[in-house]
Amino acid sequence: MDTDAFVGTLDREGGLLASAAEEAGADAEVPTCPEWRVRDLLRHTGMVHHWATAFVAEGHTAYHPDAGLPELDGAELVAWFRQGHRRLVDTLAAAPPDVACWYFLPAPSPLAFWARRQAHETTVHRLDAESARGGTPTAIAPDFAADGIDELLRGFHGRSRSRVRSAEPRVLRVRATDTDDAVWTVRLSQRPPAAERGGTGEADCELAGPAGQLYLALWNRTPFPTVSGDAALAALWREKSAITWS
């Protein structure tokens, strides 16, 4: 997917998130994030949108802290979220391809990174908002979901901060069944996970299913569609893979 496609996805997903949150109400519980209510979801995602916008719009070339969570609630909070989301989309859409700013995962450019990261950030939290609202969640396109799996496995969990470690070397395979060439081999050890595209060699455990379901499961929003082999590795992922803000 190119940057324009990610920006378009971000635009759509943020609108869906705001609408679902508005329908659910700020006090509704978020089943996919049990410690949150909808107001927490809006405050967090809106804060991330403002934080990301600042890097691209203001050209921060080193890490810059976020501005914290707002005290807004109810209709004012939804309006604040919508405004911040709109500014993020417009900033990314208007930014020059060679804009220089800080970013934290491998990417072709800072702009490509921020468009991709915020599209996935917003999509996962859109699912959270829809879980609070209830009803059938909006489908996630398989190619986009596969990209998100790649970002999570080879990006986030390739960093030293990943807590997915194994005392003994183990191999976890992730296979999207509805997308061509969407297979990953994740080598677990006492070091950060080493993930690569492809499915050659033996695996101790395989997580398989449609890309959209795997994407949400790997972000610990839903159960794994299918687990074969040593289920302890699926449990290890559930226990250790959470990505935290701080």
Side-chain angles (χ1 to χ4, degrees), residues 23-105:
E23 291 176 45
D27 199 45
E29 295 181 349
V30 181
T32 50
C33 298
E35 297 182 0
W36 274 2
R37 295 186 182 270
V38 165
R39 65 172 57 86
D40 302 307
L41 174 64
L42 285 174
R43 288 169 179 170
H44 167 79
T45 313
M47 174 273 291
V48 173
H49 286 174
H50 282 77
W51 177 74
T53 299
F55 285 103
V56 179
E58 300 169 20
H60 298 293
T61 55
Y63 175 81
H64 189 76
D66 64 83
L69 301 177
E71 294 295 329
L72 299 170
D73 207 347
E76 288 185 331
L77 177 58
V78 174
W80 171 84
F81 174 85
R82 288 187 185 275
Q83 182 182 45
H85 168 250
R86 182 77 263 146
R87 182 163 182 253
L88 173 60
V89 171
D90 291 346
T91 296
L92 292 172
D98 61 350
V99 63
C101 63
W102 179 83
Y103 60 109
F104 61 88
L105 294 178

Side-chain angles (χ1 to χ4, degrees), residues 52-234:
T53 299
F55 285 103
V56 179
E58 300 169 20
H60 298 293
T61 55
Y63 175 81
H64 189 76
D66 64 83
L69 301 177
E71 294 295 329
L72 299 170
D73 207 347
E76 288 185 331
L77 177 58
V78 174
W80 171 84
F81 174 85
R82 288 187 185 275
Q83 182 182 45
H85 168 250
R86 182 77 263 146
R87 182 163 182 253
L88 173 60
V89 171
D90 291 346
T91 296
L92 292 172
D98 61 350
V99 63
C101 63
W102 179 83
Y103 60 109
F104 61 88
L105 294 178
S109 70
L111 181 61
F113 164 80
W114 284 111
R116 181 195 201 195
R117 175 81 290 276
Q118 291 309 300
H120 288 297
E121 175 86 11
T122 307
T123 298
V124 172
H125 287 317
R126 182 269 294 168
L127 183 281
D128 294 331
E130 291 184 342
S131 79
R133 181 199 62 194
T136 303
T138 306
I140 300 172
D143 61 338
F144 177 75
D147 180 82
I149 294 170
D150 194 76
E151 183 202 42
L152 182 62
L153 297 180
R154 298 204 298 158
F156 277 104
H157 286 287
R159 302 185 301 168
S160 61
R161 294 177 62 176
S162 177
R163 298 184 302 116
V164 183
R165 310 290 177 98
S166 173
E168 300 295 331
R170 307 301 300 278
V171 177
L172 177 67
R173 180 148 298 136
V174 177
R175 184 184 306 275
T177 55
D178 61 347
T179 309
D180 291 339
D181 301 320
V183 183
W184 296 261
T185 298
V186 186
R187 302 188 187 282
L188 304 178
S189 68
Q190 297 181 44
R191 298 176 59 81
E196 60 186 23
R197 294 297 285 262
T200 57
E202 297 295 321
D204 297 294
C205 177
E206 179 166 302
L207 311 175
Q213 293 181 34
L214 272 181
Y215 173 63
L216 295 175
L218 288 164
W219 277 105
N220 293 321
R221 263 45 184 198
T222 59
F224 290 114
T226 302
V227 177
S228 57
D230 186 358
L233 292 187

